[in-house]
Amino acid sequence: DAGVIQSPRHEVTEMGQEVTLRCKPISGHNSLFWYRQTMMRGLELLIYFNNNVPIDDSGMPEDRFSAKMPNASFSTLKIQPSEPRDSAVYFCASNQDRGFGYTFGSGTRLTVV
Amino acid sequence: GDSVTQMEGPVTLSEEAFLTINCTYTATGYPSLFWYVQYPGEGLQLLLKATKADDKGSNKGFEATYRKETTSFHLEKGSVQVSDSAVYFCALSEGTGGFKTIFGAGTRLFVKA
């Protein structure tokens, strides 16, 4: 298995632009998680899905952030409009059962200028 | 709510020294416990896990024992190497409907040759 695949690896965009981050979870994993990591705030859970259904989006910072999971093999995190304070590394992770732990993707480093 | 507290870093050790990174947790039920490791520029990787009291998780020379009486899950390694330099995260997972995981703040380890 290729693991959790995220794209792009790096994204540089101008303030106000729309940004879409993509994630392909491991086949057979039924939960998917989006995290944001910064030096100041550490690792923050933004939203998670179980069986493609959003379960908890309380970590989504503002209405500018939205996430979808149209099927079991694909999820997107969209920021519209983007702001410099959104600059961070965004990770996607998936898992199968609470006892097995997560598999993380390599992350997308987002820079908003 | 559930939480994880781990010792602040950075921890700086010489090669072949003994490592302990302390982790304590609070939880209402019976969580699974994990240690993850993050190398520079990469996502978190599951290092080891324990799913019930007195279980010992181990991997790559690292060990941690699930201590319910002290609500702890300290990470240990008998002889660290330079290649162990990374950030280590303690985490717990409890509940249903997606198995949300709570992460500690992370402890950075530097190992000097």
Side-chain angles (χ1 to χ4, degrees), chain A residues 9 30-31 33 35 37 43 45 48 50 55-56 91 95-102 104-106, chain B residues 30-32 34 36 38 41-44 46 49 51 89 93-101 103:
Chain A
R9 283 300 308 272
N30 60 351
S31 294
F33 307 81
Y35 282 87
Q37 186 178 40
L43 199 61
L45 176 65
Y48 74 96
N50 182 250
I55 302 300
D56 183 352
F91 288 105
N95 84 341
Q96 181 180 9
D97 180 273
R98 75 179 179 105
F100 287 87
Y102 289 4
F104 279 79
S106 298
Chain B
Y30 302 93
S32 296
F34 307 88
Y36 288 80
Q38 184 178 30
E42 298 182 11
L44 281 70
L46 180 63
K49 63 180 174 72
T51 57
F89 293 86
S93 177
E94 183 171 53
T96 60
F99 315 117
K100 179 176 169 179
T101 294
F103 287 87

Side-chain angles (χ1 to χ4, degrees), chain B residues 61-73:
Chain B
F62 291 90
E63 294 183 339
T65 300
Y66 190 142
R67 302 286 189 199
K68 191 171 187 299
E69 64 277 13
T70 55
T71 62
S72 65
F73 193 55

Side-chain angles (χ1 to χ4, degrees), chain B:
Chain B
D2 294 356
S3 65
V4 175
T5 303
Q6 54 183 112
M7 62 190 288
E8 286 191 27
V11 174
T12 302
L13 296 173
S14 297
E15 208 165 23
E16 299 184 2
F18 185 86
L19 168 70
T20 299
I21 300 178
N22 291 337
C23 171
T24 57
Y25 68 91
T26 57
T28 54
Y30 302 93
S32 296
L33 301 174
F34 307 88
W35 278 100
Y36 288 80
V37 58
Q38 184 178 30
Y39 299 102
E42 298 182 11
L44 281 70
Q45 301 174 25
L46 180 63
L47 180 60
L48 53 84
K49 63 180 174 72
T51 57
K52 60 183 188 296
D54 300 325
D55 268 1
K56 177 185 282 189
S58 61
N59 186 25
K60 300 180 181 179
F62 291 90
E63 294 183 339
T65 300
Y66 190 142
R67 302 286 189 199
K68 191 171 187 299
E69 64 277 13
T70 55
T71 62
S72 65
F73 193 55
H74 304 321
L75 182 69
E76 296 182 336
K77 187 176 185 183
S79 176
V80 294
Q81 306 300 312
V82 172
S83 57
D84 294 326
S85 298
V87 181
Y88 292 82
F89 293 86
C90 185
L92 71 81
S93 177
E94 183 171 53
T96 60
F99 315 117
K100 179 176 169 179
T101 294
I102 308 296
F103 287 87
T107 301
R108 185 175 295 277
L109 170 67
F110 291 106
V111 180
K112 303 179 297 184

Side-chain angles (χ1 to χ4, degrees), chain A residues 15-16 82-88 110-113:
Chain A
M15 183 173 62
S82 58
E83 297 183 4
R85 60 195 168 114
D86 301 330
S87 298
L110 174 65
T111 303
V112 183
V113 299

